[in-house]
Amino acid sequence: MIDREPIKFAAHLIQGEEKISIEAKYASKFSLLIRFLNGHKADPGSEFSKLVFSKNGEEIKIGPCQYITEPKKNGYQGRIVFSQDVYDLNSLFFEDKLEKLQAEFFNLPLILAHKDDIEKCFREYTANLNYDLNVYKNLFDCLDARYADEPEVIKQHVQDAIIETEGRKFMTFLDEKLEEFEDIIINYSKKDHERHGYYLRKQLWTFIMCSPFMTRTNLKPRGYSGDSVMMKMIYDNKYEGNSTFGKLMHKHPSEHPAAQAVRNRRDIITKMLSKVKSTDMKTSSKKIKVLSVACGPAFEIQDVLTTAEDCSRFHFTLLDQDATALSEAASQLTQLEKKLGTKIEVEFLNESVRTMLTTPKLDKMWGQFDYIYSMGLFDYLTTPVAKAVIEKLYQTLNIGGKMAIGNFHISNPSRFYMEYWLDWVLYYRTEHEFIDLLKNVPSAGTKVLFEDTGSQMFLQVRKYDN
Amino acid sequence: MNNSIEFDVKPDWDEIEKVRNESADFLQSHELSDDTIHSLSMIISELIENGLKYGDFKTEGNKVVVIINVATNMITVEVLNPVDESAYEHLSKLDKTIQWIRGYQDPFEAYIERIKEVSKKPLHDMESGIGLVRIAYEGNALLDFFVAENNMLNVSVVSNLEKGDRVSS
């Protein structure tokens, strides 16, 4: 929280050779209240080449600036505003940074030049798509306006009808445009993809921002793409947005194979855990210890724990770098406890997998697990890191324990849609590369399975006795 | 021909240039183009520099280790150095920064954002963080890291070898 206590300080204004003493006070982001000292008077509109003052022992010289008068405010005679370079006084006084408002333009030549290597056919494709999307958006917006005054329930019915008719046709149009787009970019290098993706997003930004789904993946409010809100949007797979067009732009990526794969993987984990439960129940009365790595909101636990008896069988440890996701998971589980009238044994670990390995004897601290799973973590880990993490997880597995690790396959049909439109880049692997992550662990029994869309793999691991 | 090479780097800034030259010779022996070698040399220098800056060299014999591996379609550079508890704050920042950089499809966006930040001129010395962004943008490489149980920080970059990255292609 920034402390915005009034800041008063002694300063002087430079006008020609003259040095005029003032008392200044922070007034707003771009202005200072001032009072001339020693009986000095200045005309409204007077220009000064510099405002000079000392901050933390350092002399700050900023300007040129202009004096504007206003009715006396607590003894101050007027304000100083900047007439050329505009300085952000919030940055200066509260963040210790000297920032010019116009600094945003420093990168302009670089950004403008970034379009120079865009392929002609990609430019044409983007321009045509921009035109088409404008036409569609206008049409849907006009329809929205025509039933805007209807009662809420009627509005909803009308919108549903539009979505089911012209809306679904628009979704087919988007599918066709994506096919056309994939044909254009098929031979692009990594660098080409990056540059053309940037260009596409810049050109289509207005449309991207209509979709809550695309807005979130692009803006990444929590610093990464696949956060718990995103997961909820994918699981819900609803029409969300402020307009019919926005709802369609939201639903389209939610229906794409990668999003379906995310829904499928939740089912896969639920089935695996249910199987562990039914198998282990026959052989042991001990609680089944489960670790979920990069757990997010852990919605799948609600699918697994459907009775009080289920709850008595499991002990969950949920690990995530995102404290908000963990608190969402905690609140879901509290609700589930109320619903089922029983306690759920769960521990929360707010750790990053990249730094958790420093913890000596992790298995001693966290215990050993019968089942470890991670659905959406390894898509972000490069090979050296993925190897270190998976080996460590394997160490914390009990003999006979199982592990299921998800990773999108290199052939993910949504890959370029995600990269170009959603600014969502994953680290893809082949089956061989995935299995290879555990090549230094000879006692591991591994196999790879795919969910129904074929986009997402699961590396299934069983720990055998050496 | 060996696909991997490892360098032990003493905690001495003058060592950077030496490793830079020797790694360039190794990369040249794999027929990589001058541009690719130049990018990788920049990456190696930046990572060693960070290793020396944040590493724990109080114990005699502590060093930075550089491992370069050239595979058919990919080059991996790993730079390892010991860290102590004083580096934990840096590691947390490193984690956020790397995820932030990799959150952009085009690292150019991270580069632009970082330059914008740097242009804000902090009134006291602050890390610019531009080095990591340069690795991603100019080096066209994916950054990642982990800290092993022995408090060894492993910062790695993975760079795809594409058409034009080798002299023979």
PDB file of all heavy atoms in Angstrom, chain A residues 215-226:
ATOM      1  N   THR A 215      -9.270 -12.519 -22.935  1.00  0.00           N
ATOM      2  CA  THR A 215      -8.755 -11.381 -22.163  1.00  0.00           C
ATOM      3  C   THR A 215      -7.853 -11.898 -21.044  1.00  0.00           C
ATOM      4  O   THR A 215      -6.744 -11.403 -20.829  1.00  0.00           O
ATOM      5  CB  THR A 215      -9.917 -10.562 -21.572  1.00  0.00           C
ATOM      6  OG1 THR A 215     -10.706 -10.081 -22.641  1.00  0.00           O
ATOM      7  CG2 THR A 215      -9.431  -9.400 -20.738  1.00  0.00           C
ATOM      8  N   ARG A 216      -8.342 -12.917 -20.351  1.00  0.00           N
ATOM      9  CA  ARG A 216      -7.579 -13.415 -19.197  1.00  0.00           C
ATOM     10  C   ARG A 216      -6.271 -14.087 -19.632  1.00  0.00           C
ATOM     11  O   ARG A 216      -5.240 -13.887 -19.006  1.00  0.00           O
ATOM     12  CB  ARG A 216      -8.424 -14.383 -18.376  1.00  0.00           C
ATOM     13  CG  ARG A 216      -7.810 -14.621 -17.028  1.00  0.00           C
ATOM     14  CD  ARG A 216      -8.746 -15.168 -15.997  1.00  0.00           C
ATOM     15  NE  ARG A 216      -8.063 -15.220 -14.716  1.00  0.00           N
ATOM     16  CZ  ARG A 216      -8.143 -14.299 -13.770  1.00  0.00           C
ATOM     17  NH1 ARG A 216      -8.895 -13.241 -13.951  1.00  0.00           N
ATOM     18  NH2 ARG A 216      -7.473 -14.421 -12.635  1.00  0.00           N
ATOM     19  N   THR A 217      -6.325 -14.868 -20.695  1.00  0.00           N
ATOM     20  CA  THR A 217      -5.072 -15.533 -21.108  1.00  0.00           C
ATOM     21  C   THR A 217      -4.058 -14.504 -21.595  1.00  0.00           C
ATOM     22  O   THR A 217      -2.859 -14.674 -21.402  1.00  0.00           O
ATOM     23  CB  THR A 217      -5.301 -16.569 -22.239  1.00  0.00           C
ATOM     24  OG1 THR A 217      -5.839 -15.908 -23.367  1.00  0.00           O
ATOM     25  CG2 THR A 217      -6.216 -17.688 -21.799  1.00  0.00           C
ATOM     26  N   ASN A 218      -4.554 -13.438 -22.214  1.00  0.00           N
ATOM     27  CA  ASN A 218      -3.634 -12.417 -22.711  1.00  0.00           C
ATOM     28  C   ASN A 218      -3.086 -11.525 -21.605  1.00  0.00           C
ATOM     29  O   ASN A 218      -1.914 -11.181 -21.605  1.00  0.00           O
ATOM     30  CB  ASN A 218      -4.321 -11.556 -23.774  1.00  0.00           C
ATOM     31  CG  ASN A 218      -4.198 -12.161 -25.160  1.00  0.00           C
ATOM     32  OD1 ASN A 218      -3.176 -11.999 -25.830  1.00  0.00           O
ATOM     33  ND2 ASN A 218      -5.214 -12.903 -25.591  1.00  0.00           N
ATOM     34  N   LEU A 219      -3.953 -11.144 -20.665  1.00  0.00           N
ATOM     35  CA  LEU A 219      -3.502 -10.191 -19.643  1.00  0.00           C
ATOM     36  C   LEU A 219      -2.853 -10.854 -18.434  1.00  0.00           C
ATOM     37  O   LEU A 219      -2.095 -10.224 -17.706  1.00  0.00           O
ATOM     38  CB  LEU A 219      -4.665  -9.302 -19.188  1.00  0.00           C
ATOM     39  CG  LEU A 219      -5.319  -8.455 -20.281  1.00  0.00           C
ATOM     40  CD1 LEU A 219      -6.417  -7.568 -19.685  1.00  0.00           C
ATOM     41  CD2 LEU A 219      -4.298  -7.571 -21.000  1.00  0.00           C
ATOM     42  N   LYS A 220      -3.137 -12.115 -18.215  1.00  0.00           N
ATOM     43  CA  LYS A 220      -2.515 -12.899 -17.134  1.00  0.00           C
ATOM     44  C   LYS A 220      -2.447 -12.126 -15.807  1.00  0.00           C
ATOM     45  O   LYS A 220      -1.358 -11.811 -15.326  1.00  0.00           O
ATOM     46  CB  LYS A 220      -1.101 -13.329 -17.541  1.00  0.00           C
ATOM     47  CG  LYS A 220      -1.061 -14.130 -18.819  1.00  0.00           C
ATOM     48  CD  LYS A 220       0.347 -14.403 -19.271  1.00  0.00           C
ATOM     49  CE  LYS A 220       0.385 -15.080 -20.606  1.00  0.00           C
ATOM     50  NZ  LYS A 220      -0.027 -14.244 -21.749  1.00  0.00           N
ATOM     51  N   PRO A 221      -3.597 -11.813 -15.222  1.00  0.00           N
ATOM     52  CA  PRO A 221      -3.572 -10.977 -14.019  1.00  0.00           C
ATOM     53  C   PRO A 221      -2.798 -11.572 -12.852  1.00  0.00           C
ATOM     54  O   PRO A 221      -2.361 -10.841 -11.971  1.00  0.00           O
ATOM     55  CB  PRO A 221      -5.059 -10.805 -13.673  1.00  0.00           C
ATOM     56  CG  PRO A 221      -5.790 -11.828 -14.461  1.00  0.00           C
ATOM     57  CD  PRO A 221      -4.968 -12.140 -15.655  1.00  0.00           C
ATOM     58  N   ARG A 222      -2.631 -12.919 -12.837  1.00  0.00           N
ATOM     59  CA  ARG A 222      -1.845 -13.497 -11.737  1.00  0.00           C
ATOM     60  C   ARG A 222      -0.423 -13.845 -12.165  1.00  0.00           C
ATOM     61  O   ARG A 222       0.279 -14.587 -11.469  1.00  0.00           O
ATOM     62  CB  ARG A 222      -2.536 -14.748 -11.214  1.00  0.00           C
ATOM     63  CG  ARG A 222      -3.792 -14.429 -10.450  1.00  0.00           C
ATOM     64  CD  ARG A 222      -4.226 -15.613  -9.606  1.00  0.00           C
ATOM     65  NE  ARG A 222      -5.633 -15.516  -9.280  1.00  0.00           N
ATOM     66  CZ  ARG A 222      -6.375 -16.538  -8.905  1.00  0.00           C
ATOM     67  NH1 ARG A 222      -5.853 -17.742  -8.807  1.00  0.00           N
ATOM     68  NH2 ARG A 222      -7.647 -16.376  -8.614  1.00  0.00           N
ATOM     69  N   GLY A 223      -0.024 -13.350 -13.328  1.00  0.00           N
ATOM     70  CA  GLY A 223       1.362 -13.550 -13.771  1.00  0.00           C
ATOM     71  C   GLY A 223       1.571 -14.816 -14.574  1.00  0.00           C
ATOM     72  O   GLY A 223       2.662 -15.057 -15.072  1.00  0.00           O
ATOM     73  N   TYR A 224       0.549 -15.647 -14.727  1.00  0.00           N
ATOM     74  CA  TYR A 224       0.666 -16.841 -15.568  1.00  0.00           C
ATOM     75  C   TYR A 224      -0.704 -17.160 -16.173  1.00  0.00           C
ATOM     76  O   TYR A 224      -1.735 -16.705 -15.660  1.00  0.00           O
ATOM     77  CB  TYR A 224       1.224 -18.028 -14.772  1.00  0.00           C
ATOM     78  CG  TYR A 224       0.355 -18.498 -13.623  1.00  0.00           C
ATOM     79  CD1 TYR A 224      -0.444 -19.626 -13.750  1.00  0.00           C
ATOM     80  CD2 TYR A 224       0.333 -17.809 -12.409  1.00  0.00           C
ATOM     81  CE1 TYR A 224      -1.249 -20.059 -12.705  1.00  0.00           C
ATOM     82  CE2 TYR A 224      -0.475 -18.243 -11.363  1.00  0.00           C
ATOM     83  CZ  TYR A 224      -1.268 -19.355 -11.515  1.00  0.00           C
ATOM     84  OH  TYR A 224      -2.066 -19.782 -10.491  1.00  0.00           O
ATOM     85  N   SER A 225      -0.680 -17.943 -17.254  1.00  0.00           N
ATOM     86  CA  SER A 225      -1.910 -18.112 -18.040  1.00  0.00           C
ATOM     87  C   SER A 225      -2.962 -19.007 -17.392  1.00  0.00           C
ATOM     88  O   SER A 225      -4.113 -18.637 -17.279  1.00  0.00           O
ATOM     89  CB  SER A 225      -1.579 -18.697 -19.412  1.00  0.00           C
ATOM     90  OG  SER A 225      -0.770 -17.834 -20.119  1.00  0.00           O
ATOM     91  N   GLY A 226      -2.571 -20.194 -16.987  1.00  0.00           N
ATOM     92  CA  GLY A 226      -3.573 -21.187 -16.591  1.00  0.00           C
ATOM     93  C   GLY A 226      -3.983 -21.088 -15.134  1.00  0.00           C
ATOM     94  O   GLY A 226      -3.930 -22.091 -14.415  1.00  0.00           O
TER      95      GLY A 226
END
